[in-house]
Amino acid sequence: MPLHINTPLLESRPLSLAGGRSIWLKMDALQPPGSFKIRGIGAACEHHATGGKRRFVSSSGGNAGIAVAYAGHRLGIPVSVFVPETATELAKSLIRQEGAEVIVHGASWQEANERAMSALDTDTAFIHPFDDPLLWTGHATMIDEVVAEGLSFDAVAVSVGGGGLMSGVVEGLARNGLAHIPIVAVETEGAASLAASIKAGERIQLPAITSIATSLGARMVSERAFEVTQNSAVDSVVVSDRTAVEACLRFVDDHRVLVEPACGATLALAYGHAGALARFERVLMIVCGGATASLAQLQAWHAA
Ligand SMILES: *Cc1c(COP(=O)(O)O)cnc(C)c1O
């Protein structure tokens, strides 16, 4: 049985009015661990459990770590999540809340990840946050659900970190005969590794991540994500952190759902960047969610 739920699909009156076109929301913020990531990570964890793995390891102090912890709990498999000293108390407590072990190591993700790698053995499955075909196939279920509800749309807007979500959306479109539908790929300034790669014509590694949208903070996108931009219609859009935070706060009032700036970046297309949607009449927005920003944190960013 899948570990994700079938999420609501709704036409947003406020976003449609703000964006000047019909905006449909796939509400993956409502997944039990708070983001779309459980779709792919749940599928990967089930695959590894069936294959006999007896422990899961993650090196994400964000929504991927939370999703692995949730999946392990549901499957009765112990989970260790290696996170850097910079991981927030909220993220660590959400991981521990699922009964997973949190190991704090190193100043940055690189060091935490190296320690995680050194902890692997043949009984253990390492769950990558975005670069794994098992994940993309799992993420693709969100498009299956939209198609099953009979909605037709002429673009899909998604936030991009390492590009796992976008790769999954592309797979979902392809397996439903919709490979021609364009993608609007949204990043924040300071985390725009996809935009930089498209501009350069090759995968680029950013020197550092300076955006507050840490869930988009992959310094380099996966090979698959870059390949998608070369083979499909992908519009790349970069928004400011401020715009993303403002979109989160408006979305709380409009839909009574709290999401991270990583998700607010996509919502900001309707609230303030409608030019990016000008060619489209009916846009499907993936409300990817995110559990690591509290309302107080959003308000503090907004006041800063
Ligand atoms: C992981 C994540 C993303 C980005 O997904 P990628 O697969 O890394 O591109 C966007 N939003 C949220 C809330 C996330 O947790």
Side-chain angles (χ1 to χ4, degrees), residues 14 16 19 26 28 35 50 71 99 101 118 127 130 157 171 182 186 191 213 226 260 263 266 275 277 282 289:
S16 296
K26 183 59 174 162
D28 261 43
S35 80
T50 308
E101 169 192 33
S118 71
I127 312 294
F130 59 81
E171 182 168 331
V186 192
F226 181 66
E260 289 179 16
C263 177
T266 284
L277 306 178
R282 192 178 291 142

Side-chain angles (χ1 to χ4, degrees), residues 61-153:
N63 295 304
I66 297 166
V68 176
Y70 176 83
H73 189 185
R74 288 277 306 273
L75 295 168
I77 290 187
V79 174
S80 305
V81 184
F82 293 78
V83 304
E85 284 144 14
T86 51
T88 64
E89 285 308 317
L90 175 56
K92 286 186 279 187
S93 78
L94 289 169
I95 293 166
R96 288 194 186 107
Q97 180 177 290
E98 296 295 345
E101 169 192 33
V102 175
I103 299 131
V104 180
H105 180 79
S108 74
W109 174 80
Q110 266 80 9
E111 290 151 63
N113 188 57
E114 272 165 35
R115 172 60 75 88
M117 292 300 175
S118 71
L120 300 183
D121 58 41
T122 52
D123 282 345
T124 304
F126 176 73
I127 312 294
H128 196 279
F130 59 81
D131 195 2
D132 178 351
L134 289 171
L135 257 64
W136 311 332
T137 301
H139 294 335
T141 55
M142 68 179 71
I143 300 298
D144 297 338
E145 288 168 18
V146 172
V147 171
E149 289 204 47
L151 179 70
S152 55
F153 46 93

Side-chain angles (χ1 to χ4, degrees), residues 35-37 63 129-130 139 159-166 215-216 260 262-263 288-290:
S35 80
F36 76 94
K37 282 212 172 65
N63 295 304
F130 59 81
H139 294 335
S159 297
V160 174
L165 172 57
M166 181 177 71
S215 295
L216 304 185
E260 289 179 16
C263 177
C288 48

Side-chain angles (χ1 to χ4, degrees), residues 212 242-243 245-247 249 295-304:
I212 57 164
R242 164 152 289 268
T243 318
V245 168
E246 279 169 4
L249 292 171
L295 182 57
Q297 175 68 77
L298 285 171
Q299 287 167 331
W301 278 323
H302 191 243

Side-chain angles (χ1 to χ4, degrees), residues 19 23-24 30 42 47 53 94 106 154 173 180 184 187 197 199 236 254 282 296:
I23 306 276
W24 286 74
L30 302 181
H47 170 89
K53 298 293 185 194
L94 289 169
D154 51 15
L173 291 172
H180 58 282
V184 185
E187 297 171 287
S197 301
K199 190 157 171 248
S236 162
D254 284 344
R282 192 178 291 142

